[in-house]
Amino acid sequence: MRTAAAIFPYLAFDPRSRVPFYKQIYDGYREAILAGRLRRGQRLPSTRALAAELKISRLPVLNAFEQLLHEGYLEGKAGAGTFVRDSIPDELSKPLVVKDGRTKVRRIAAAAFVSEGIGPFRVSLPALDRFPREIWGRLVARHGKRLPIELMAYGDPAGHAPLREAIASYVRAARAVNCEAAQVLIVSGSQMALQLCALALLKPGDSVFIEDPGYPGARDALQVSGAKVIPVQVDSEGIDVARIASQRKRARVAYVTPSHQYPLGVSMTASRRLELLDWARRTQSWILEDDYDSEYRYASRPLGALQGMDTSDRVIYIGTFSKVLFPALRVGYMIIPPDLVGSFVRLRESLDIFSPTLYQLVLTDFLNEGHFARHLRRMRSVYHGRRDAMVHSLEKHLGSTLEPYNTDAGLHLSGFLPRGIEDREVVRRAAQAGVVATALSSCYAGEHRRSGLILGFGGASERRIQAAASMLARVIESLRFR
Ligand SMILES: Cc1ncc(COP(=O)(O)O)c(C=O)c1O
């Protein structure tokens, strides 16, 4: 039973009108039901509460409700209250017709959200099954119960100051980012950070270099400004900076994932990093560094952020809690060069003012009380195990059919498929079997697309990874020998 809270629907009630009170209430509710403002199964306020709200006696309210019950718009459920009837007779539920003959009730054909679920190989999923939900829940309850009233008002568009402090110390220590808390801007995930960069730094007709293959989310976000994206090939050292430097058309921005290139997993070499920084300095361009999952490395030592090597303030650093905690949190952050902070904060304020305070408070405690560091430590060994399970199962079931590329970091790996096997077809068939792979070809923006698969290993247990690899092998074999 849907028991939506009994909120008072808007009633055009006028105590000075000559229309009787009961009739105003009856008409108001009937119209709200027919127009869909009150939905089937929705609970109504009690007659007593409604009378108090309207500052009238209860009698006209009782009369109006009785009439609506009698006509079949409402139904009473013993002990539970009065509800909009689940099955309103057809002749009653016809849309209202306005004077010009058009219907008042428009059926909205919204694009339905189709979740890709949390099946094995889904990219971008951390180990949600290992998240310390009890600790998190305790912190949410702590702040939810005792939210000081001043924190219920509008907050700082740059973010809750103690959270900015905590993030600044984390990225300085863990990522060798060079920053002060005043440069930290809290946003709703990296996606908002990328959109802000597009709006702040690009205008229609400008060009922006992106990695090819690259992260489709970045491509989409950067295009909101009307800028043109120029795909630049990625090789075993990262984005090809010589190509960027030799372009005749000047671009104002380059978007890169230097720690763990998405999707190929390459770490940008030190010499490439220096070349890219040099290009940005010479041409007064901006580098957007998306450091989305750098926390996890398995064999080699983590590389510091590109931002920490920048001596000319040309790098905008973007981090997110989507991979280290969970994506539904929707908290990310940017480290902005000092001269740009003011304009980014104003722009962020113009979009959605600020991020929800409650989760900023919870996250601050999660970081400052050591839960975050402990979680990261635990997750490193969990992901190491899942990565090994993935590599071994792919080797066992797929051998040279899908050789994973760069398996040293992050929560996913990529591999190329043999000629003639179309990745989208593999993905389609695997999805039917509950395995959620991503087609590598969907990450290319240039002409030259390669067929391959991007496989996430963060979100599934070792056992499920092994089973999914065997299923994937069967799908690929069935296409191979058609
Ligand atoms: C390259 C890259 N950047 C950023 C993100 C995370 O985005 P958000 O912080 O908006 O959840 C992802 C997630 O899949 C990603 O793959």
Side-chain angles (χ1 to χ4, degrees):
M1 179 171 60
R2 275 166 292 146
T3 58
I7 290 169
F8 297 102
Y10 171 75
L11 279 185
F13 184 81
D14 179 1
R16 284 161 312 180
S17 159
R18 299 230 306 268
V19 181
F21 287 177
Y22 108 86
K23 178 88 168 79
Q24 289 190 52
I25 298 165
Y26 165 84
D27 286 345
Y29 271 100
R30 184 173 165 278
E31 202 239 3
I33 293 167
L34 292 179
R37 291 201 304 281
L38 279 173
R39 298 289 163 96
R40 292 167 189 210
Q42 194 164 341
R43 182 150 61 93
L44 265 61
S46 71
T47 51
R48 196 182 304 277
L50 185 57
E53 170 77 12
L54 298 176
K55 298 193 177 63
I56 58 175
S57 87
R58 215 171 137 212
L59 193 63
V61 183
L62 283 169
N63 284 341
F65 273 40
E66 236 165 62
Q67 182 73 21
L68 290 161
L69 283 161
H70 177 73
E71 290 179 8
Y73 290 100
L74 304 181
E75 62 189 332
K77 294 184 182 165
T82 308
F83 295 78
V84 177
R85 200 157 135 175
D86 255 331
S87 49
I88 296 178
D90 278 351
E91 69 274 16
L92 296 183
S93 66
K94 290 215 178 74
L96 293 182
V97 176
V98 290
K99 278 204 193 81
D100 66 0
R102 283 181 308 159
T103 54
K104 218 174 190 177
V105 182
R106 267 192 309 144
R107 298 271 166 255
I108 300 166
F113 167 67
V114 181
S115 166
E116 285 187 322
I118 54 170
F121 296 170
R122 165 90 162 88
V123 253
S124 312
L125 268 196
L128 301 173
D129 54 330
R130 299 301 186 93
F131 186 73
R133 286 198 284 176
E134 274 205 9
I135 294 173
W136 184 261
R138 231 179 22 241
L139 297 180
V140 172
R142 177 194 291 173
H143 290 286
K145 279 184 196 155
R146 287 187 224 109
L147 195 60
I149 58 167
E150 62 275 15
L151 291 181
M152 292 170 76
Y154 284 91
D156 186 342
H160 182 56
L163 178 60
R164 296 168 75 200
E165 286 285 352
I167 289 174
S169 17
Y170 166 63
V171 292
R172 278 194 302 257
R175 306 292 308 124
V177 168
N178 190 3
C179 72
E180 297 304 323
Q183 291 169 258
V184 178
L185 176 59
I186 307 295
V187 287
S188 307
S190 325
Q191 199 62 21
M192 179 188 239
L194 291 165
Q195 271 201 27
L196 282 174
C197 291
L199 296 169
L201 308 175
L202 296 163
K203 47 185 196 326
D206 279 349
S207 297
V208 45
F209 293 124
I210 58 166
E211 298 168 326
D212 201 38
Y215 178 48
R219 188 171 69 208
D220 295 345
L222 292 169
Q223 281 172 337
V224 296
S225 57
K228 181 170 177 293
V229 294
I230 304 180
V232 179
Q233 202 188 331
V234 171
D235 62 21
S236 59
E237 292 191 58
I239 196 166
D240 188 346
V241 183
R243 283 205 190 192
I244 290 182
S246 66
Q247 291 275 338
R248 266 187 297 133
K249 194 159 169 43
R250 186 175 169 268
R252 293 185 54 80
V253 171
Y255 164 84
V256 285
T257 46
S259 304
H260 185 231
Q261 202 273 332
Y262 187 91
L264 296 181
V266 183
S267 291
M268 196 188 285
T269 56
S271 57
R272 281 281 168 90
R273 290 173 186 233
L274 292 171
E275 280 173 45
L276 188 63
L277 289 168
D278 185 52
W279 163 81
R281 186 190 48 76
R282 277 188 294 104
T283 58
Q284 294 291 288
S285 305
W286 302 104
I287 299 170
L288 311 185
E289 176 177 19
D290 182 355
D291 208 23
Y292 64 106
D293 74 352
S294 56
E295 282 80 2
Y296 304 113
R297 287 196 92 79
Y298 308 110
S300 59
R301 272 175 46 75
L303 294 165
L306 177 67
Q307 195 270 7
M309 300 167 74
D310 175 22
T311 50
S312 316
D313 284 339
R314 306 309 306 176
V315 176
I316 294 163
Y317 176 92
I318 301 171
T320 177
F321 289 101
S322 288
K323 306 283 170 107
V324 279
L325 299 182
F326 59 98
L329 180 59
R330 303 314 302 145
V331 178
Y333 49 93
M334 310 172 72
I335 312 291
I336 301 169
D339 290 349
L340 289 182
V341 171
S343 55
F344 268 85
V345 172
R346 280 192 299 278
L347 195 56
R348 194 254 186 272
E349 191 172 11
S350 78
L351 287 187
D352 74 341
I353 315 188
F354 69 110
S355 289
T357 304
L358 177 62
Y359 285 110
Q360 294 194 61
L361 297 170
V362 171
L363 194 47
T364 309
D365 285 0
F366 198 78
L367 286 159
N368 289 343
E369 292 176 10
H371 307 300
F372 182 69
R374 228 177 348 266
H375 180 56
L376 275 189
R377 265 199 309 278
R378 288 202 184 118
M379 287 306 100
R380 277 200 186 105
S381 90
V382 169
Y383 293 136
H384 202 152
R386 292 183 178 186
R387 192 278 314 246
D388 286 352
M390 177 79 129
V391 172
H392 295 146
S393 331
L394 291 178
E395 208 170 72
K396 177 173 164 198
H397 296 290
L398 280 150
S400 57
T401 309
L402 185 101
E403 274 181 69
Y405 195 73
N406 298 309
T407 58
D408 183 25
L411 304 181
H412 73 266
L413 50 80
S414 299
F416 298 113
L417 283 165
R419 261 177 207 290
I421 299 191
E422 230 225 289
D423 54 9
R424 288 174 200 260
E425 186 55 19
V426 175
V427 167
R428 201 182 60 75
R429 292 191 181 206
Q432 285 165 357
V435 173
V436 200
T438 301
L440 181 63
S441 61
S442 66
C443 295
Y444 287 88
E447 308 271 281
H448 181 67
R449 285 164 191 259
R450 290 190 66 178
S451 177
L453 296 175
I454 311 170
L455 305 173
F457 54 78
S461 67
E462 294 174 24
R463 202 171 46 77
R464 288 181 77 204
I465 287 172
Q466 283 150 2
S470 136
M471 169 61 69
L472 189 64
R474 271 179 272 150
V475 168
I476 296 177
E477 287 306 292
S478 71
L479 285 169
R480 217 171 174 188
F481 300 110
R482 266 192 303 183

